[in-house]
Amino acid sequence: MSKKKHKKHKKHKKHKSDVSTINKNCGNICGNLQLDNQVPKLDIWEIYHEKDATVFVSVYNSPTSTDSIKVQAFRKDGSSLFFNVPPGNTSSGTVDYAELIRVSRVNQGTIEGRFCLDINFQTNKD
């Protein structure tokens, strides 16, 4: 039998993280959508405190809808994310520093659908 020499592995030093914030998942919010002449737009989420929020928004538009859903996501810095969801489709997006999420009709049709939001807040490490 031959003897093999085993190499000793160098231990790597652990570096302290410079990150002073952590993400805290605050859960999901889901609901039904029904937009028509009486309710042409709806704010489905708005931030009510100073913490930074990252929101993953997913919107489903039923095949029975007669119009596309316009999703508007506004950020604290004034920028925004917009996308349309045609009937029978689902679209989604992630919004950093989210302030307000709004859904509306693109034209004058009737909309039935669903939305889900996954909300994460940044908090300081203590």
Side-chain angles (χ1 to χ4, degrees):
M1 264 201 227
S2 65
K3 292 184 180 179
K4 290 184 180 179
K5 291 185 180 179
H6 295 286
K7 292 183 181 178
K8 289 187 178 180
H9 296 287
K10 292 182 182 179
K11 290 186 180 179
H12 295 286
K13 292 182 181 179
K14 291 183 180 178
H15 296 285
K16 288 186 178 179
S17 175
D18 293 335
V19 178
S20 60
T21 60
I22 57 172
N23 287 330
K24 181 178 179 183
N25 185 313
C26 292
N28 296 326
I29 299 172
C30 295
N32 294 322
L33 295 172
Q34 187 166 1
L35 303 175
D36 53 26
N37 289 337
Q38 292 179 337
V39 183
K41 66 180 178 180
L42 182 65
D43 292 346
I44 57 175
W45 183 82
E46 186 172 3
I47 196 163
Y48 288 103
H49 52 73
E50 297 298 318
K51 292 182 181 177
D52 291 332
T54 299
V55 179
F56 176 78
V57 57
S58 180
V59 177
Y60 165 73
N61 193 357
S62 171
T64 60
S65 296
T66 61
D67 197 1
S68 291
I69 300 173
K70 181 178 185 178
V71 180
Q72 300 170 283
F74 300 95
R75 295 184 176 109
K76 285 185 174 184
D77 67 0
S79 65
S80 55
L81 169 72
F82 295 88
F83 58 88
N84 291 334
V85 186
N89 286 276
T90 301
S91 293
S92 58
T94 301
V95 186
D96 293 325
Y97 307 105
E99 197 169 60
L100 175 72
I101 310 290
R102 175 180 292 151
V103 292
S104 61
R105 303 178 300 167
V106 171
N107 295 304
Q108 299 298 314
T110 301
I111 291 173
E112 291 182 14
R114 287 191 51 80
F115 70 92
C116 280
L117 307 173
D118 183 18
I119 304 164
N120 293 281
F121 291 105
Q122 289 186 357
T123 57
N124 292 330
K125 283 185 177 178
D126 291 326

